Amino acid sequence: MTSIMPTYGRLPVSFVRGEGSHVYDEAGKAYLDGLTGIAVCGLGHAHPAVAKALSEQANTLLHTSNLYLIGPQERLATRLTELSGMDNVFFCNSGAEANEAALKIARLHGHNRGIEAPDVIVMDGSFHGRTMATLTATGNRKVQAGFEPLLSGFVRAPFNDVESVRQIAANNKNVVAVFVEPVLGEGGIQIPADDYLDNLREVCDANDWLLMLDEVQSGNGRTGKLFAFQHGNLKPDVITTAKGLGNGMPIGACIARGAAAEVLVAGTHGSTFGGNFLACAAANAVLDELTEGGVVERAAELGERMVGAFRTRLAGNNRVREIRGKGLMLGVELNEPCPTLVADALQAGLLINVAVDNVVRLLPPLNMSDAEADRMVAIVADLIDALD
């Protein structure tokens, strides 16, 4: 019997410590972490630089609120804007909160332009969070079921289909923004055409819309670039990120430029804990590693290594429909649901996730060793081969 609300189908294991690419349960058994807290601990567990930054900050000052200047927050904001080519940042505590801020920017931007009921285009198969606005924006009916009435102001388009967005532009004069993940994470590691975001940028420019990218999962080095949009030639108006930014410390960021950076002013939005001393100390330590330690480049190399290994190892397996990857966002799509695979992997000493019922999703540490990457591939491939 537990006093925790049953909002998760938890696995029967409790971890007590972590080190690098492994976590350890109460009996001392080691598990190779192919999920990293759902793309959060990109630098692995108990990373020395992050631990040191947290310890030093915890012994100095934790929180004063955003009523006052916060030195580590100012430094983090400067670094994020310089690295992304943006203008300013709103800090919060999670990806869902960062996405809420982006949606508020879009609506207020629309109202400021005289649009009474502004619409935001969102994509089928997307996931943006579980608050009322973000679950409405999410393109997954299972997430929304039971929470009606949903919010108005969203128009849906198929992912990776620029022509559908152009058709919306021709018929809807209330649209003010496009909100899209560069890679669908919860949607099963769906990777669009190389020019998809660039083409969306062109459509947005032609219609005076904001292009807003949800990089909560794909940001912070996960795809082999600091931000996934940097694989292309565009610059978005809004970027949201969280997850890997704090390596386990809750922090979210909504980063904006141009007109989008001028929308939120005093009194229009806020957060009690957002960007406090402790969270920003962790995020600054993470950015040190991502920008100076070769970790992002390592993620790109490991991703190519693992995708190649999966394709070799699973060649001819009729259960496998497709193997996809961008950096260390990896998906092995099967032809049918695999409801036992997560538990089977746990038994084999590996943490994985299954998205949309039939996609084995791997989001491992960006800095793991070649041997750890190879072992991860071998375990997953063996488990797929062993499916009934």
Side-chain angles (χ1 to χ4, degrees):
M1 189 69 175
T2 178
S3 299
I4 299 172
M5 287 188 183
T7 55
Y8 297 93
R10 299 177 192 265
L11 292 164
V13 63
S14 178
F15 301 116
V16 295
R17 71 180 182 91
E19 183 177 357
S21 300
H22 291 82
V23 290
Y24 299 81
D25 68 15
E26 294 167 310
K29 179 179 176 179
Y31 299 78
L32 184 58
D33 193 350
L35 191 58
T36 59
I38 318 179
V40 168
C41 298
L43 300 179
H45 299 281
H47 190 279
V50 178
K52 181 174 183 287
L54 285 169
S55 176
E56 290 178 353
Q57 190 62 57
N59 279 288
T60 305
L61 186 62
L62 292 179
H63 177 82
T64 59
S65 89
N66 284 293
L67 297 177
Y68 314 100
L69 298 176
I70 300 171
Q73 184 187 106
E74 296 281 347
R75 177 170 180 250
L76 180 59
T78 297
R79 300 175 77 186
L80 284 173
T81 54
E82 290 177 350
L83 289 165
S84 62
M86 307 293 274
D87 292 337
N88 60 21
V89 187
F90 171 81
F91 288 110
C92 49
N93 310 288
S94 68
E97 290 181 40
N99 288 341
E100 284 277 345
L103 293 170
K104 287 182 72 173
I105 286 173
R107 286 199 172 186
L108 189 51
H109 174 68
H111 284 295
N112 290 344
R113 292 172 50 201
I115 299 174
E116 185 175 341
D119 287 334
V120 175
I121 297 175
V122 292
M123 307 303 164
D124 294 336
S126 62
F127 181 85
H128 298 295
R130 293 183 181 272
T131 63
M132 284 305 299
T134 58
L135 73 84
T136 303
T138 291
N140 181 339
R141 182 60 193 148
K142 288 172 64 176
V143 172
Q144 300 167 341
F147 296 104
E148 298 84 357
L150 302 177
L151 301 186
S152 61
F154 294 95
V155 181
R156 304 192 185 280
F159 183 67
N160 197 26
D161 184 346
V162 176
E163 186 55 39
S164 68
V165 177
R166 292 194 178 100
Q167 290 174 6
I168 293 170
N171 295 289
N172 187 333
K173 301 308 177 186
N174 289 329
V175 171
V176 295
V178 172
F179 192 33
V180 62
E181 296 170 85
V183 177
L184 297 188
E186 300 290 333
I189 313 298
Q190 300 293 337
I191 301 168
D194 290 343
D195 61 355
Y196 177 58
L197 294 182
D198 292 289
N199 287 334
L200 284 180
R201 176 75 272 177
E202 290 182 7
V203 176
C204 288
D205 288 343
N207 291 278
D208 196 21
W209 298 344
L210 302 179
L211 177 60
M212 309 195 305
L213 302 185
D214 178 344
E215 294 238 25
V216 170
Q217 191 166 140
S218 63
N220 307 299
R222 175 58 55 184
T223 68
K225 296 285 187 181
L226 187 65
F227 293 102
F229 80 86
Q230 292 170 331
H231 289 280
N233 300 310
L234 73 148
K235 188 177 288 187
D237 300 293
V238 177
I239 309 163
T240 62
T241 194
K243 287 191 180 289
L245 182 59
N247 207 62
M249 188 69 206
I251 184 170
C254 179
I255 315 170
R257 74 174 180 98
E262 300 171 0
V263 173
L264 296 181
V265 296
T268 58
H269 201 42
S271 171
T272 296
F273 295 104
N276 73 10
F277 285 88
L278 193 64
C280 290
N284 276 311
V286 168
L287 278 188
D288 288 343
E289 295 298 314
L290 293 180
T291 57
E292 300 169 12
V295 176
V296 176
E297 295 78 9
R298 177 67 176 159
E301 294 169 3
L302 283 170
E304 290 182 5
R305 180 187 185 94
M306 293 180 73
V307 167
F310 270 124
R311 287 175 177 162
T312 298
R313 179 66 175 75
L314 293 170
N317 188 314
N318 293 329
R319 295 185 181 89
V320 178
R321 179 177 297 167
E322 188 177 19
I323 296 164
R324 300 185 289 270
K326 200 169 188 71
L328 285 175
M329 290 186 76
L330 305 169
V332 180
E333 183 176 359
L334 306 182
N335 288 317
E336 57 188 20
C338 47
T340 67
L341 207 57
V342 171
D344 293 342
L346 185 71
Q347 188 68 27
L350 174 66
L351 307 185
I352 65 169
N353 174 247
V354 172
V356 294
D357 295 330
N358 68 327
V359 178
V360 180
R361 179 172 58 154
L362 295 171
L363 303 162
L366 310 183
N367 54 358
M368 64 180 173
S369 68
D370 287 352
E372 289 167 338
D374 294 344
R375 179 168 169 249
M376 199 173 293
V377 170
I379 294 173
V380 171
D382 285 346
L383 292 171
I384 291 174
D385 283 341
L387 287 173
D388 293 331

